Structure formats: structure tokens, C-alpha cells
Amino acid sequence: MTEQSAGSGGQDKPTIAIDGPAGSGKSTLSRALGQKLGIGRLDTGAMYRSVAWAVLDQGVDPSDVDAVADVARRIDISMGDLVTVDGTDVTEAIRQDPVNHAVSLVAANPGVRQVLVERQREWVVRHGGGVVEGRDICSVVLPDADLKIYLTASEEERARRRSDEGASSVARRDRLDSSRTVSPLAVAEGARVVDTTDRSVDELVEEIVTWL
Ligand code: DC
């Protein structure tokens, strides 16, 4: 993976791991925390989405376990303000229906997870810390993070936040992401559970920085 935009260098920045289902507020909160603390942020969901995009783009069957893992190994994913795969800007394409539909299957592939987890850990080392958000960050990617947070929100609120995708698609992804064999979404040991339903971002950031 090539360079992310924010916060390179230094070794004394905090490492914050954030997990939660779709629409729980991970992206908004991690972006705000990264800004507040002056550290980088990595959206690992966008990395799984990038692999799903490449799989579809190359006409690979998303259920072909070996071929999909091979795609993950071969592609270069660049995570910055724009997300690119082998130089192609996929920032918008990875949020569209074809990727929404295929991504949970791609993310359940152990070979894909192995490749991406390694790249995510490399990103943290390269940036000397940062805010990393996803589904298995507290449990698998960064179990020794300075702070581990599991975000939740009411089902109605999560559906409202992801209204562009549609409630049934979001519910389907959450079901698949929580029931898969490899690294299912779950509250990790030592993670603080935070309900974001009726909380403002500023209020949450102020509270969370006191936990560091
Ligand atoms: O955060 P998101 O909705 O953009 O994530 C897209 C998909 O990627 C999601 O359905 C589950 C998967 N994912 C994962 O399995 N592990 C992660 N660390 C991040 C995302």
C-alpha cells in the first residue's frame, strides 16, 4: 500500500482502534479524533471495498476464494483523500451498489484478510500511531492499541445514516460481517462500548480524549 495523506513519522502518537457495524459513526468519529489529536486515520473498510472493486473490475468471481486472495495480493491500494487501486481513482466507485453487495463475501476470505491486516499494521508502524477503524481492529489488527472502542447506535439511526445504501443492504452486510468464521464483528476484550445514537461528534471526541 502506498502512502496515506496524514501524519507521517514520529513514534509517540497514540494508537486508537475503533470497531462497529455500518452506520455506527466510525468514519465521522475517527476523522474528528484524528484531526483533534493531529494523527492519521485509516479506514480499513475502504481497503476491503477496494479489493471487492478490483475483483469485480477484473471479472473475477467473488466466491472464488483463491482467485480473490490473489487479487488482494497483487493490487496496490493507496489510501489518502482519494482511494486508488493501481493508480485508478476508486473513491466513489467503492461506495456504489456492486461493491456494497460483494464486499462482505470478499471480507470473509481468509487470504484477503491476511494481506490487508498486514498492510494495516504496516500503516500504523509507518505513521507511528493513528486512528484505525473497521470490524476487527480491536480484536485482531491492534489488540494492544492505547485505546479500543466499539461503537454502536440504534438500528433506526444506523439505517438513517446509511440511507444512501438502503436499510436492507446494510442489515445484510451486518449479518454477514457478524456471522462469518474469520474475525467476525464482535466487542473485543478491553474495548469500551460507546453508543453514538444521541451524541454529537464534538461531545464524543472531548470524552474519548480523556481516556488516553
Ligand atoms: O466500514 P465499511 O462499511 O465501509 O466496510 C465495508 C465492509 O468491509 C464491511 O461490510 C465489512 C468489511 N470490513 C471488515 O471485514 N473488516 C474491517 N476491518 C473493515 C471492514
Side-chain angles (χ1 to χ4, degrees), residues 42-61:
L42 182 64
D43 172 2
T44 63
M47 297 173 73
Y48 287 94
R49 287 173 176 276
S50 295
V51 176
W53 178 87
V55 163
L56 298 175
D57 183 62
Q58 294 176 23
V60 169
D61 176 356

mmCIF file with all atom_site columns, all heavy atoms in Angstrom, residues 42-61:
data_model
loop_
_atom_site.group_PDB
_atom_site.id
_atom_site.type_symbol
_atom_site.label_atom_id
_atom_site.label_alt_id
_atom_site.label_comp_id
_atom_site.label_asym_id
_atom_site.label_entity_id
_atom_site.label_seq_id
_atom_site.pdbx_PDB_ins_code
_atom_site.Cartn_x
_atom_site.Cartn_y
_atom_site.Cartn_z
_atom_site.occupancy
_atom_site.B_iso_or_equiv
_atom_site.pdbx_formal_charge
_atom_site.auth_seq_id
_atom_site.auth_comp_id
_atom_site.auth_asym_id
_atom_site.auth_atom_id
_atom_site.pdbx_PDB_model_num
ATOM 1   N N   . LEU A 1 42 ? -6.966  5.666   9.332   1.00 0.00 ? 42 LEU A N   1
ATOM 2   C CA  . LEU A 1 42 ? -7.049  4.640   8.294   1.00 0.00 ? 42 LEU A CA  1
ATOM 3   C C   . LEU A 1 42 ? -8.429  3.996   8.311   1.00 0.00 ? 42 LEU A C   1
ATOM 4   O O   . LEU A 1 42 ? -8.849  3.430   9.330   1.00 0.00 ? 42 LEU A O   1
ATOM 5   C CB  . LEU A 1 42 ? -5.969  3.562   8.512   1.00 0.00 ? 42 LEU A CB  1
ATOM 6   C CG  . LEU A 1 42 ? -5.933  2.461   7.458   1.00 0.00 ? 42 LEU A CG  1
ATOM 7   C CD1 . LEU A 1 42 ? -5.580  3.018   6.074   1.00 0.00 ? 42 LEU A CD1 1
ATOM 8   C CD2 . LEU A 1 42 ? -4.934  1.367   7.845   1.00 0.00 ? 42 LEU A CD2 1
ATOM 9   N N   . ASP A 1 43 ? -9.124  4.080   7.174   1.00 0.00 ? 43 ASP A N   1
ATOM 10  C CA  . ASP A 1 43 ? -10.451 3.478   7.003   1.00 0.00 ? 43 ASP A CA  1
ATOM 11  C C   . ASP A 1 43 ? -10.243 2.105   6.367   1.00 0.00 ? 43 ASP A C   1
ATOM 12  O O   . ASP A 1 43 ? -10.107 1.990   5.150   1.00 0.00 ? 43 ASP A O   1
ATOM 13  C CB  . ASP A 1 43 ? -11.283 4.399   6.104   1.00 0.00 ? 43 ASP A CB  1
ATOM 14  C CG  . ASP A 1 43 ? -12.613 3.787   5.694   1.00 0.00 ? 43 ASP A CG  1
ATOM 15  O OD1 . ASP A 1 43 ? -12.927 2.656   6.136   1.00 0.00 ? 43 ASP A OD1 1
ATOM 16  O OD2 . ASP A 1 43 ? -13.343 4.443   4.927   1.00 0.00 ? 43 ASP A OD2 1
ATOM 17  N N   . THR A 1 44 ? -10.208 1.055   7.211   1.00 0.00 ? 44 THR A N   1
ATOM 18  C CA  . THR A 1 44 ? -9.893  -0.272  6.671   1.00 0.00 ? 44 THR A CA  1
ATOM 19  C C   . THR A 1 44 ? -11.041 -0.836  5.831   1.00 0.00 ? 44 THR A C   1
ATOM 20  O O   . THR A 1 44 ? -10.817 -1.679  4.967   1.00 0.00 ? 44 THR A O   1
ATOM 21  C CB  . THR A 1 44 ? -9.529  -1.281  7.789   1.00 0.00 ? 44 THR A CB  1
ATOM 22  O OG1 . THR A 1 44 ? -10.668 -1.466  8.641   1.00 0.00 ? 44 THR A OG1 1
ATOM 23  C CG2 . THR A 1 44 ? -8.341  -0.794  8.598   1.00 0.00 ? 44 THR A CG2 1
ATOM 24  N N   . GLY A 1 45 ? -12.270 -0.347  6.086   1.00 0.00 ? 45 GLY A N   1
ATOM 25  C CA  . GLY A 1 45 ? -13.402 -0.784  5.252   1.00 0.00 ? 45 GLY A CA  1
ATOM 26  C C   . GLY A 1 45 ? -13.168 -0.407  3.797   1.00 0.00 ? 45 GLY A C   1
ATOM 27  O O   . GLY A 1 45 ? -13.506 -1.155  2.872   1.00 0.00 ? 45 GLY A O   1
ATOM 28  N N   . ALA A 1 46 ? -12.556 0.767   3.586   1.00 0.00 ? 46 ALA A N   1
ATOM 29  C CA  . ALA A 1 46 ? -12.269 1.210   2.214   1.00 0.00 ? 46 ALA A CA  1
ATOM 30  C C   . ALA A 1 46 ? -11.255 0.283   1.549   1.00 0.00 ? 46 ALA A C   1
ATOM 31  O O   . ALA A 1 46 ? -11.259 0.124   0.324   1.00 0.00 ? 46 ALA A O   1
ATOM 32  C CB  . ALA A 1 46 ? -11.767 2.652   2.224   1.00 0.00 ? 46 ALA A CB  1
ATOM 33  N N   . MET A 1 47 ? -10.392 -0.354  2.351   1.00 0.00 ? 47 MET A N   1
ATOM 34  C CA  . MET A 1 47 ? -9.420  -1.299  1.778   1.00 0.00 ? 47 MET A CA  1
ATOM 35  C C   . MET A 1 47 ? -10.138 -2.577  1.323   1.00 0.00 ? 47 MET A C   1
ATOM 36  O O   . MET A 1 47 ? -9.866  -3.093  0.237   1.00 0.00 ? 47 MET A O   1
ATOM 37  C CB  . MET A 1 47 ? -8.333  -1.623  2.799   1.00 0.00 ? 47 MET A CB  1
ATOM 38  C CG  . MET A 1 47 ? -7.509  -0.399  3.190   1.00 0.00 ? 47 MET A CG  1
ATOM 39  S SD  . MET A 1 47 ? -6.352  -0.713  4.542   1.00 0.00 ? 47 MET A SD  1
ATOM 40  C CE  . MET A 1 47 ? -5.105  -1.692  3.725   1.00 0.00 ? 47 MET A CE  1
ATOM 41  N N   . TYR A 1 48 ? -11.056 -3.092  2.154   1.00 0.00 ? 48 TYR A N   1
ATOM 42  C CA  . TYR A 1 48 ? -11.836 -4.269  1.726   1.00 0.00 ? 48 TYR A CA  1
ATOM 43  C C   . TYR A 1 48 ? -12.694 -3.914  0.509   1.00 0.00 ? 48 TYR A C   1
ATOM 44  O O   . TYR A 1 48 ? -12.848 -4.707  -0.419  1.00 0.00 ? 48 TYR A O   1
ATOM 45  C CB  . TYR A 1 48 ? -12.693 -4.800  2.888   1.00 0.00 ? 48 TYR A CB  1
ATOM 46  C CG  . TYR A 1 48 ? -11.850 -5.505  3.924   1.00 0.00 ? 48 TYR A CG  1
ATOM 47  C CD1 . TYR A 1 48 ? -11.363 -4.816  5.036   1.00 0.00 ? 48 TYR A CD1 1
ATOM 48  C CD2 . TYR A 1 48 ? -11.465 -6.829  3.752   1.00 0.00 ? 48 TYR A CD2 1
ATOM 49  C CE1 . TYR A 1 48 ? -10.538 -5.434  5.960   1.00 0.00 ? 48 TYR A CE1 1
ATOM 50  C CE2 . TYR A 1 48 ? -10.633 -7.457  4.677   1.00 0.00 ? 48 TYR A CE2 1
ATOM 51  C CZ  . TYR A 1 48 ? -10.177 -6.755  5.770   1.00 0.00 ? 48 TYR A CZ  1
ATOM 52  O OH  . TYR A 1 48 ? -9.340  -7.374  6.670   1.00 0.00 ? 48 TYR A OH  1
ATOM 53  N N   . ARG A 1 49 ? -13.232 -2.698  0.516   1.00 0.00 ? 49 ARG A N   1
ATOM 54  C CA  . ARG A 1 49 ? -14.033 -2.256  -0.627  1.00 0.00 ? 49 ARG A CA  1
ATOM 55  C C   . ARG A 1 49 ? -13.172 -2.173  -1.889  1.00 0.00 ? 49 ARG A C   1
ATOM 56  O O   . ARG A 1 49 ? -13.632 -2.483  -2.996  1.00 0.00 ? 49 ARG A O   1
ATOM 57  C CB  . ARG A 1 49 ? -14.653 -0.878  -0.333  1.00 0.00 ? 49 ARG A CB  1
ATOM 58  C CG  . ARG A 1 49 ? -15.788 -0.930  0.679   1.00 0.00 ? 49 ARG A CG  1
ATOM 59  C CD  . ARG A 1 49 ? -16.281 0.455   1.083   1.00 0.00 ? 49 ARG A CD  1
ATOM 60  N NE  . ARG A 1 49 ? -17.429 0.359   1.974   1.00 0.00 ? 49 ARG A NE  1
ATOM 61  C CZ  . ARG A 1 49 ? -18.685 0.214   1.579   1.00 0.00 ? 49 ARG A CZ  1
ATOM 62  N NH1 . ARG A 1 49 ? -18.977 0.190   0.278   1.00 0.00 ? 49 ARG A NH1 1
ATOM 63  N NH2 . ARG A 1 49 ? -19.667 0.105   2.448   1.00 0.00 ? 49 ARG A NH2 1
ATOM 64  N N   . SER A 1 50 ? -11.927 -1.745  -1.746  1.00 0.00 ? 50 SER A N   1
ATOM 65  C CA  . SER A 1 50 ? -11.031 -1.632  -2.898  1.00 0.00 ? 50 SER A CA  1
ATOM 66  C C   . SER A 1 50 ? -10.738 -3.004  -3.508  1.00 0.00 ? 50 SER A C   1
ATOM 67  O O   . SER A 1 50 ? -10.690 -3.150  -4.734  1.00 0.00 ? 50 SER A O   1
ATOM 68  C CB  . SER A 1 50 ? -9.714  -0.968  -2.488  1.00 0.00 ? 50 SER A CB  1
ATOM 69  O OG  . SER A 1 50 ? -9.953  0.365   -2.093  1.00 0.00 ? 50 SER A OG  1
ATOM 70  N N   . VAL A 1 51 ? -10.542 -3.997  -2.639  1.00 0.00 ? 51 VAL A N   1
ATOM 71  C CA  . VAL A 1 51 ? -10.318 -5.355  -3.158  1.00 0.00 ? 51 VAL A CA  1
ATOM 72  C C   . VAL A 1 51 ? -11.580 -5.826  -3.886  1.00 0.00 ? 51 VAL A C   1
ATOM 73  O O   . VAL A 1 51 ? -11.495 -6.383  -4.989  1.00 0.00 ? 51 VAL A O   1
ATOM 74  C CB  . VAL A 1 51 ? -9.944  -6.341  -2.025  1.00 0.00 ? 51 VAL A CB  1
ATOM 75  C CG1 . VAL A 1 51 ? -9.817  -7.761  -2.573  1.00 0.00 ? 51 VAL A CG1 1
ATOM 76  C CG2 . VAL A 1 51 ? -8.643  -5.923  -1.348  1.00 0.00 ? 51 VAL A CG2 1
ATOM 77  N N   . ALA A 1 52 ? -12.751 -5.593  -3.289  1.00 0.00 ? 52 ALA A N   1
ATOM 78  C CA  . ALA A 1 52 ? -14.011 -6.001  -3.939  1.00 0.00 ? 52 ALA A CA  1
ATOM 79  C C   . ALA A 1 52 ? -14.154 -5.313  -5.294  1.00 0.00 ? 52 ALA A C   1
ATOM 80  O O   . ALA A 1 52 ? -14.560 -5.934  -6.285  1.00 0.00 ? 52 ALA A O   1
ATOM 81  C CB  . ALA A 1 52 ? -15.198 -5.674  -3.031  1.00 0.00 ? 52 ALA A CB  1
ATOM 82  N N   . TRP A 1 53 ? -13.796 -4.030  -5.346  1.00 0.00 ? 53 TRP A N   1
ATOM 83  C CA  . TRP A 1 53 ? -13.869 -3.294  -6.623  1.00 0.00 ? 53 TRP A CA  1
ATOM 84  C C   . TRP A 1 53 ? -12.957 -3.944  -7.664  1.00 0.00 ? 53 TRP A C   1
ATOM 85  O O   . TRP A 1 53 ? -13.358 -4.169  -8.812  1.00 0.00 ? 53 TRP A O   1
ATOM 86  C CB  . TRP A 1 53 ? -13.486 -1.827  -6.427  1.00 0.00 ? 53 TRP A CB  1
ATOM 87  C CG  . TRP A 1 53 ? -13.499 -1.078  -7.725  1.00 0.00 ? 53 TRP A CG  1
ATOM 88  C CD1 . TRP A 1 53 ? -14.573 -0.461  -8.307  1.00 0.00 ? 53 TRP A CD1 1
ATOM 89  C CD2 . TRP A 1 53 ? -12.380 -0.927  -8.627  1.00 0.00 ? 53 TRP A CD2 1
ATOM 90  N NE1 . TRP A 1 53 ? -14.201 0.064   -9.525  1.00 0.00 ? 53 TRP A NE1 1
ATOM 91  C CE2 . TRP A 1 53 ? -12.877 -0.209  -9.745  1.00 0.00 ? 53 TRP A CE2 1
ATOM 92  C CE3 . TRP A 1 53 ? -11.053 -1.328  -8.598  1.00 0.00 ? 53 TRP A CE3 1
ATOM 93  C CZ2 . TRP A 1 53 ? -12.047 0.130   -10.827 1.00 0.00 ? 53 TRP A CZ2 1
ATOM 94  C CZ3 . TRP A 1 53 ? -10.230 -1.003  -9.675  1.00 0.00 ? 53 TRP A CZ3 1
ATOM 95  C CH2 . TRP A 1 53 ? -10.731 -0.278  -10.761 1.00 0.00 ? 53 TRP A CH2 1
ATOM 96  N N   . ALA A 1 54 ? -11.724 -4.269  -7.268  1.00 0.00 ? 54 ALA A N   1
ATOM 97  C CA  . ALA A 1 54 ? -10.755 -4.855  -8.210  1.00 0.00 ? 54 ALA A CA  1
ATOM 98  C C   . ALA A 1 54 ? -11.233 -6.227  -8.687  1.00 0.00 ? 54 ALA A C   1
ATOM 99  O O   . ALA A 1 54 ? -11.081 -6.577  -9.860  1.00 0.00 ? 54 ALA A O   1
ATOM 100 C CB  . ALA A 1 54 ? -9.382  -4.966  -7.546  1.00 0.00 ? 54 ALA A CB  1
ATOM 101 N N   . VAL A 1 55 ? -11.817 -6.998  -7.771  1.00 0.00 ? 55 VAL A N   1
ATOM 102 C CA  . VAL A 1 55 ? -12.342 -8.326  -8.117  1.00 0.00 ? 55 VAL A CA  1
ATOM 103 C C   . VAL A 1 55 ? -13.413 -8.189  -9.204  1.00 0.00 ? 55 VAL A C   1
ATOM 104 O O   . VAL A 1 55 ? -13.390 -8.886  -10.222 1.00 0.00 ? 55 VAL A O   1
ATOM 105 C CB  . VAL A 1 55 ? -12.913 -9.012  -6.842  1.00 0.00 ? 55 VAL A CB  1
ATOM 106 C CG1 . VAL A 1 55 ? -13.826 -10.166 -7.185  1.00 0.00 ? 55 VAL A CG1 1
ATOM 107 C CG2 . VAL A 1 55 ? -11.767 -9.465  -5.944  1.00 0.00 ? 55 VAL A CG2 1
ATOM 108 N N   . LEU A 1 56 ? -14.327 -7.253  -9.000  1.00 0.00 ? 56 LEU A N   1
ATOM 109 C CA  . LEU A 1 56 ? -15.411 -7.046  -9.982  1.00 0.00 ? 56 LEU A CA  1
ATOM 110 C C   . LEU A 1 56 ? -14.839 -6.492  -11.285 1.00 0.00 ? 56 LEU A C   1
ATOM 111 O O   . LEU A 1 56 ? -15.211 -6.930  -12.380 1.00 0.00 ? 56 LEU A O   1
ATOM 112 C CB  . LEU A 1 56 ? -16.472 -6.090  -9.415  1.00 0.00 ? 56 LEU A CB  1
ATOM 113 C CG  . LEU A 1 56 ? -17.199 -6.592  -8.155  1.00 0.00 ? 56 LEU A CG  1
ATOM 114 C CD1 . LEU A 1 56 ? -18.137 -5.502  -7.618  1.00 0.00 ? 56 LEU A CD1 1
ATOM 115 C CD2 . LEU A 1 56 ? -17.983 -7.870  -8.435  1.00 0.00 ? 56 LEU A CD2 1
ATOM 116 N N   . ASP A 1 57 ? -13.921 -5.548  -11.163 1.00 0.00 ? 57 ASP A N   1
ATOM 117 C CA  . ASP A 1 57 ? -13.324 -4.912  -12.350 1.00 0.00 ? 57 ASP A CA  1
ATOM 118 C C   . ASP A 1 57 ? -12.593 -5.937  -13.218 1.00 0.00 ? 57 ASP A C   1
ATOM 119 O O   . ASP A 1 57 ? -12.599 -5.840  -14.442 1.00 0.00 ? 57 ASP A O   1
ATOM 120 C CB  . ASP A 1 57 ? -12.357 -3.814  -11.885 1.00 0.00 ? 57 ASP A CB  1
ATOM 121 C CG  . ASP A 1 57 ? -11.750 -3.039  -13.039 1.00 0.00 ? 57 ASP A CG  1
ATOM 122 O OD1 . ASP A 1 57 ? -12.534 -2.406  -13.776 1.00 0.00 ? 57 ASP A OD1 1
ATOM 123 O OD2 . ASP A 1 57 ? -10.517 -3.085  -13.206 1.00 0.00 ? 57 ASP A OD2 1
ATOM 124 N N   . GLN A 1 58 ? -11.968 -6.911  -12.562 1.00 0.00 ? 58 GLN A N   1
ATOM 125 C CA  . GLN A 1 58 ? -11.192 -7.919  -13.309 1.00 0.00 ? 58 GLN A CA  1
ATOM 126 C C   . GLN A 1 58 ? -12.044 -9.116  -13.713 1.00 0.00 ? 58 GLN A C   1
ATOM 127 O O   . GLN A 1 58 ? -11.529 -10.093 -14.257 1.00 0.00 ? 58 GLN A O   1
ATOM 128 C CB  . GLN A 1 58 ? -9.991  -8.380  -12.463 1.00 0.00 ? 58 GLN A CB  1
ATOM 129 C CG  . GLN A 1 58 ? -8.985  -7.264  -12.233 1.00 0.00 ? 58 GLN A CG  1
ATOM 130 C CD  . GLN A 1 58 ? -7.831  -7.670  -11.318 1.00 0.00 ? 58 GLN A CD  1
ATOM 131 O OE1 . GLN A 1 58 ? -7.516  -8.841  -11.169 1.00 0.00 ? 58 GLN A OE1 1
ATOM 132 N NE2 . GLN A 1 58 ? -7.202  -6.682  -10.704 1.00 0.00 ? 58 GLN A NE2 1
ATOM 133 N N   . GLY A 1 59 ? -13.350 -9.061  -13.421 1.00 0.00 ? 59 GLY A N   1
ATOM 134 C CA  . GLY A 1 59 ? -14.247 -10.144 -13.820 1.00 0.00 ? 59 GLY A CA  1
ATOM 135 C C   . GLY A 1 59 ? -14.006 -11.438 -13.061 1.00 0.00 ? 59 GLY A C   1
ATOM 136 O O   . GLY A 1 59 ? -14.368 -12.523 -13.518 1.00 0.00 ? 59 GLY A O   1
ATOM 137 N N   . VAL A 1 60 ? -13.412 -11.309 -11.858 1.00 0.00 ? 60 VAL A N   1
ATOM 138 C CA  . VAL A 1 60 ? -13.168 -12.491 -11.019 1.00 0.00 ? 60 VAL A CA  1
ATOM 139 C C   . VAL A 1 60 ? -14.448 -12.800 -10.241 1.00 0.00 ? 60 VAL A C   1
ATOM 140 O O   . VAL A 1 60 ? -15.152 -11.891 -9.795  1.00 0.00 ? 60 VAL A O   1
ATOM 141 C CB  . VAL A 1 60 ? -11.978 -12.208 -10.056 1.00 0.00 ? 60 VAL A CB  1
ATOM 142 C CG1 . VAL A 1 60 ? -11.862 -13.283 -8.997  1.00 0.00 ? 60 VAL A CG1 1
ATOM 143 C CG2 . VAL A 1 60 ? -10.681 -12.072 -10.841 1.00 0.00 ? 60 VAL A CG2 1
ATOM 144 N N   . ASP A 1 61 ? -14.753 -14.077 -10.066 1.00 0.00 ? 61 ASP A N   1
ATOM 145 C CA  . ASP A 1 61 ? -15.927 -14.487 -9.301  1.00 0.00 ? 61 ASP A CA  1
ATOM 146 C C   . ASP A 1 61 ? -15.648 -14.238 -7.806  1.00 0.00 ? 61 ASP A C   1
ATOM 147 O O   . ASP A 1 61 ? -14.713 -14.838 -7.254  1.00 0.00 ? 61 ASP A O   1
ATOM 148 C CB  . ASP A 1 61 ? -16.174 -15.987 -9.570  1.00 0.00 ? 61 ASP A CB  1
ATOM 149 C CG  . ASP A 1 61 ? -17.316 -16.547 -8.742  1.00 0.00 ? 61 ASP A CG  1
ATOM 150 O OD1 . ASP A 1 61 ? -17.877 -15.816 -7.899  1.00 0.00 ? 61 ASP A OD1 1
ATOM 151 O OD2 . ASP A 1 61 ? -17.626 -17.744 -8.935  1.00 0.00 ? 61 ASP A OD2 1
#
